[in-house]
Amino acid sequence: MTTTALRARRTLMLASGVALAALALAGCSSSDAAAPTSSSGGGSSELAKAVAAAEALPTSYPIPTDPIPGVSALAGKTIYYIPITQQAPQFAVTGAALKKALATVDISVQTCDGKGTPTDIGACIGQAQGAGAAGIVLDAVPYELAANGIDAARAAGIPVIVSDQGPTDDKYPADATLAYLPAPAPATDTALLQWIAQDSGGKANILINQDADGPWPAAYMKTALAQLKKDCPDCKTTINKVSSANFPQVAPSTSAALLADPSIDYVFTDFAQFLQPTQGGIQSAGVADTVKVVSGAAVLGTYQAVKSGQLAAAAGQAASFQGWQSADIILRLITKTKVGEYAIPTRLFSPTNIGSVSLTAAAEASGEWFGPTTFPDDFAKLWSAE
């Protein structure tokens, strides 16, 4: 992805996030029938090409080219990895890759569960500061959700990465102590909705279980829904807001939404952490045989469910590669080396291509589902410069 394209995407996500910040509160539902803006429909050649492109295996990973001098002097230091909640299986993959990456330069990683609340996230950041961490990697934690803690850590000289979120450069500009690794969720959300549009022949009625942990998931979905209106003018969507903090409500709210509209034929959960209770809600509503389920933020178990037919489709990001990217960024911040633009690759899986990949933990860790497996060596070369 070009720098220009990345900046355009960052600008779009930022504008959407500001407009939708008020939607961050969980527990509400709304219905949104997509208004037609084009006549492409579910069977268009453009839509078919978009779905095929989303399902294709990328031929390369975006690796920086500038080496990082002075990494060997960091041996023995500790980095804190703070995911917004360890309920999400994707973070386990990224966290493990981050540990493996930094272990190659004798840096340890301490993981602290943000538990989906500002209090716990702030406590994790405070713990990192108290322990004298060399850096902090936040995963899916909006800056706004932990601004005081992040500000304090940066003031103490501890650099911070805000990853898997929309950049808020207007209010919290990236600098020598702060870097962003933008989330690829707009791409995965869009790919899944395009798959539904094609699969339904342009007539889907979709229940979307949308994460309300901060403003950005709503912004990502807004981008995807705008594309859906072009691809599928006759598709209908209903948004059911779910959150980590109100996890027990996912199943009953899903069931209630399905019972309120028996014509719903697709259920979309944007993060795999909500997949199990979503399926519980589908069972409770008695519609397991009449709806197709898709999921974003997919990991090994999600893809295995696609293979077995339990899920219709799933999309995810290169979570293992993301761990190595995060290691590269934090090393650049600590050594005061220039941080460039980064992007996390994504891919859509459906019955069309799921048989082409090895669904094992080793394959997931290698990153082979999203590109060549040479990236650990590529990063190691950058980190060995003196």
Side-chain angles (χ1 to χ4, degrees):
M1 184 179 292
T2 66
T3 298
T4 300
L6 276 168
R7 287 174 177 168
R9 185 182 73 176
R10 286 159 66 107
T11 300
L12 175 60
M13 289 197 303
L14 176 59
S16 302
V18 171
L20 290 168
L23 296 181
L25 297 177
C28 301
S29 297
S30 64
S31 181
D32 176 25
T37 57
S38 77
S39 57
S40 59
S44 72
S45 60
E46 293 82 2
L47 181 58
K49 289 178 181 177
V51 172
E55 291 183 339
L57 174 66
T59 57
S60 64
Y61 274 116
I63 306 289
T65 56
D66 295 335
I68 308 176
V71 172
S72 61
L74 305 179
K77 294 188 179 295
T78 299
I79 301 297
Y80 265 67
Y81 175 63
I82 306 174
I84 190 168
T85 171
Q86 287 189 302
Q87 287 178 326
Q90 175 182 295
F91 300 137
V93 179
T94 301
L98 178 65
K99 287 183 178 181
K100 184 175 181 179
L102 289 175
T104 65
V105 289
D106 198 23
I107 295 175
S108 62
V109 175
Q110 176 69 45
T111 300
C112 187
D113 186 1
K115 299 180 181 178
T117 72
T119 299
D120 287 290
I121 294 167
C124 285
I125 295 173
Q127 180 180 330
Q129 185 175 344
I136 296 172
V137 178
L138 301 174
D139 205 337
V141 176
Y143 198 117
E144 299 88 338
L145 203 63
N148 290 339
I150 297 173
D151 289 346
R154 294 172 62 194
I158 303 174
V160 177
I161 300 174
V162 176
S163 67
D164 255 342
Q165 282 292 289
T168 49
D169 284 345
D170 62 331
K171 190 173 183 181
Y172 307 104
D175 61 18
T177 63
L178 174 66
Y180 290 98
L181 177 55
T188 53
D189 287 351
T190 298
L192 284 167
L193 288 177
Q194 288 181 317
W195 183 88
I196 291 173
Q198 182 182 56
D199 184 69
S200 68
K203 301 291 184 181
N205 185 355
I206 313 163
L207 173 64
I208 300 175
N209 274 1
Q210 178 185 288
D211 184 14
D213 291 319
W216 285 105
Y220 309 148
M221 190 59 68
K222 182 180 180 182
T223 299
L225 288 173
Q227 183 63 44
L228 179 67
K229 289 181 181 181
K230 299 175 183 178
D231 293 326
C232 191
D234 295 324
C235 285
K236 178 184 176 183
T237 59
T238 298
I239 303 297
N240 178 46
K241 297 176 188 175
V242 297
S243 73
S244 302
N246 289 304
F247 200 76
Q249 297 304 313
V250 176
S253 66
T254 301
S255 179
L258 291 168
L259 292 172
D261 185 354
S263 67
I264 290 171
D265 49 4
Y266 290 85
V267 178
F268 177 158
T269 176
D270 57 359
F271 290 95
Q273 73 193 73
F274 301 115
L275 182 55
Q276 184 175 358
T278 293
Q279 290 174 316
I282 292 170
Q283 291 286 346
S284 296
V287 295
D289 295 332
T290 60
V291 300
K292 293 184 178 181
V293 184
V294 304
S295 177
V299 291
L300 175 59
T302 328
Y303 298 128
Q304 289 173 334
V306 175
K307 176 75 171 181
S308 68
Q310 294 175 296
L311 289 183
Q317 62 200 63
S320 182
F321 177 71
Q322 180 189 339
W324 286 79
Q325 282 183 307
S326 296
D328 187 80
I329 296 171
I330 202 66
L331 290 174
R332 292 180 187 275
L333 287 176
I334 295 171
T335 59
K336 302 188 184 305
T337 304
K338 182 180 177 181
V339 177
E341 297 278 1
Y342 291 77
I344 306 170
T346 65
R347 194 176 179 192
L348 170 68
F349 287 95
S350 73
T352 301
N353 65 346
I354 195 66
S356 67
V357 296
S358 174
L359 295 177
T360 65
E364 180 174 46
S366 76
E368 66 183 60
W369 301 337
F370 300 90
T373 59
T374 55
F375 61 86
D377 290 337
D378 295 334
F379 279 116
K381 291 176 184 176
L382 298 176
W383 303 343
S384 62
E386 293 298 339

